[in-house]
Amino acid sequence: VSVQNGSILTWHSEQVLEVVRGATLIQLEEGKKIKLPTVHIQGRADILIERRGFDTSITCLPGHATLLPLGSTEELALPAGYMVQVGPVGKQGVAQVEIPMTAGLTATVKRWWSLFQGTKAEFLPLAKEFTRVVTANVDVASRWHQDLVERQVASQLEAERLERVRLELQERE
């Protein structure tokens, strides 16, 4: 675990670490868990967490993580090179989680390096591989978001069509 000055962490047990505030780089091991007020993280990965107030940014560096938002039964996969924003718990009692997106390469590598506890020679191969992964993710994410938008547009068009049919039937009566 590597933390920025002013960060606050609490160990709840050997398996559970809570990040209360600040920027933290954590090497998450299988069977261990990171606890945040609105989400739990598990998996095997290097995780970069930045907490500001109620908002949390979670970036998966090398590895793969799974997130379980507070109040949800559905886990969210977070592969290497992706980041997600998590907000407070909404009116339905579920933590607000944005759609995962590719990590901002320059900012992420700079933050990672500032928290990395090794030499430049150890860091450079990791950063190079992360750059390759993020670059590949950009293309995948673009197609994924395009599909999502197309589905939303199709759903909206279908809803409008059904409303027109309903109005036509009402006029005939």
Side-chain angles (χ1 to χ4, degrees):
V1 175
S2 177
V3 298
Q4 175 186 28
N5 280 347
S7 295
I8 298 173
L9 297 111
T10 303
W11 286 100
H12 289 275
S13 69
E14 279 188 35
Q15 287 77 31
V16 181
L17 171 66
E18 179 178 2
V19 179
V20 179
R21 179 178 70 211
T24 309
L25 176 63
I26 300 171
Q27 289 183 320
L28 183 59
E29 299 172 9
E30 201 69 46
K32 305 235 176 177
K33 186 184 290 186
I34 301 169
K35 180 181 176 185
L36 301 170
T38 56
V39 68
H40 290 179
I41 308 165
Q42 52 191 21
R44 186 175 183 85
D46 288 356
I47 304 290
L48 177 60
I49 299 171
E50 296 184 76
R51 296 236 18 242
R52 284 179 230 100
F54 290 111
D55 295 321
T56 304
S57 171
I58 302 166
T59 305
C60 186
L61 302 166
H64 185 82
T66 304
L67 283 63
L68 181 61
L70 186 69
S72 176
T73 57
E74 191 172 319
E75 292 183 333
L76 175 69
L78 191 64
Y82 282 90
M83 60 93 52
V84 67
Q85 295 285 341
V86 180
V89 174
K91 291 178 182 176
Q92 282 101 15
V94 178
Q96 299 170 8
V97 179
E98 293 184 5
I99 296 172
M101 63 180 105
T102 55
L105 189 57
T106 303
T108 301
V109 170
K110 282 182 182 179
R111 174 60 83 191
W112 186 11
W113 172 242
S114 75
L115 296 168
F116 188 75
Q117 294 182 334
T119 66
K120 188 174 183 179
E122 292 168 326
F123 182 73
L124 287 176
L126 296 172
K128 185 176 180 179
E129 175 61 13
F130 184 74
T131 300
R132 186 195 66 72
V133 167
V134 168
T135 303
N137 288 350
V138 168
D139 184 48
V140 170
S142 292
R143 283 183 272 140
W144 183 45
H145 285 278
Q146 178 71 30
D147 289 346
L148 183 63
V149 168
E150 287 173 1
R151 278 186 265 141
Q152 288 174 338
V153 168
S155 293
Q156 181 63 34
L157 291 173
E158 180 63 11
E160 290 171 5
R161 185 189 72 75
L162 291 173
E163 180 63 16
R164 282 192 307 271
V165 168
R166 186 187 69 76
L167 291 173
E168 287 174 12
L169 289 173
Q170 262 184 342
E171 287 177 3
R172 289 182 188 166
E173 292 177 356

